Amino acid sequence: MHRALSTPPTIVPGSLAGSAQPVLRAPGGLSLRPWERADASVFFDAYRDGEIRRWHTRRPASEDQVLEWFDAYGEDWRRERGGHWAVAGGGGEVLGRIALRGMDLDEGTAEAAYWVLPAARGAGVASGALAALSAWALEVVGFWRLELDHSTRNAASCAVATKCGYALEGVKRSAAVHDDGRHDMHLHALVRDR
């Protein structure tokens, strides 16, 4: 449902859902592609990693639930609420996840989120994927503002956001619950040049 606005929407409704979710190319031979059913075991296993569990409290309970999530990801795209991609290496192997959530086409805003598998950390996977997704969202689709938040204790995510030009705008105090309690969250944003 779109609101009655006195101004036109930033992004025309239907402009995303009218086509298939794209495969995006990223530096280092990476590609961002929609999740496939065959990825369910890798996705599920990712949430056994301590670092991913530390920063992501929404976790699948089974591979069957992962498949339900993949179906919901497709529905997010069709309803223009979000886009969810597997970050894949040159051989097609899954290295991580990246998403644009909470898409608001009227305002032209969305929120980026990601994780990277342990074997791919430190190789520029997160920053390459975030840079590619951000460029597509701002330059091709026409989003105006992309946000990214992370625990103030997550130095790695802070470094990725900063490297990709997401300015630190402030701290959202006690804004998220993690397994070890409430965390303050850094709010970063990348805004399109006029």
Side-chain angles (χ1 to χ4, degrees):
M1 177 176 90
H2 293 283
R3 300 174 293 197
L5 297 174
S6 63
T7 57
T10 301
I11 300 166
V12 176
S15 59
L16 291 175
S19 60
Q21 184 176 334
V23 173
L24 306 174
R25 302 293 171 212
L30 299 175
S31 62
L32 283 56
R33 61 167 173 77
W35 289 97
E36 301 168 356
R37 296 186 80 73
D39 300 326
S41 62
V42 174
F43 189 99
F44 181 66
D45 286 344
Y47 286 89
R48 293 182 180 164
D49 173 64
E51 283 300 296
I52 291 174
R53 293 179 68 81
R54 182 175 183 195
W55 307 121
H56 298 85
T57 56
R58 184 170 184 255
R59 305 176 191 129
S62 66
E63 286 186 31
D64 286 340
Q65 188 173 46
V66 170
L67 294 174
E68 291 173 10
W69 286 18
F70 288 178
D71 290 342
Y73 291 169
E75 188 64 20
D76 277 354
W77 183 260
R78 287 185 291 279
R79 292 179 179 246
E80 298 182 317
R81 295 185 304 215
H84 306 264
W85 287 264
V87 181
E93 70 282 8
V94 174
L95 303 176
R97 168 190 182 267
I98 194 160
L100 278 182
R101 306 179 302 193
M103 289 179 178
D104 183 332
L105 303 188
D106 290 338
E107 298 293 336
T109 60
E111 178 187 350
Y114 51 84
W115 51 249
V116 174
L117 293 174
R121 291 184 189 138
V125 172
S127 58
L130 181 60
L133 183 62
S134 301
W136 171 80
L138 296 174
E139 298 165 16
V140 176
V141 180
F143 281 95
W144 196 261
R145 175 185 170 88
L146 303 178
E147 294 183 352
L148 184 159
D149 69 359
H150 62 81
S151 169
T152 56
R153 303 175 201 173
N154 189 341
S157 275
C158 200
V160 168
T162 302
K163 181 177 182 179
C164 292
Y166 281 71
L168 178 60
E169 293 188 338
V171 175
K172 301 187 308 182
R173 294 181 307 130
S174 198
V177 178
H178 288 65
D179 287 349
D180 61 352
R182 296 206 75 85
H183 282 226
D184 291 348
M185 302 292 281
H186 275 163
L187 173 63
H188 295 262
L190 180 64
V191 178
R192 187 175 78 194
D193 292 335
R194 296 188 187 268

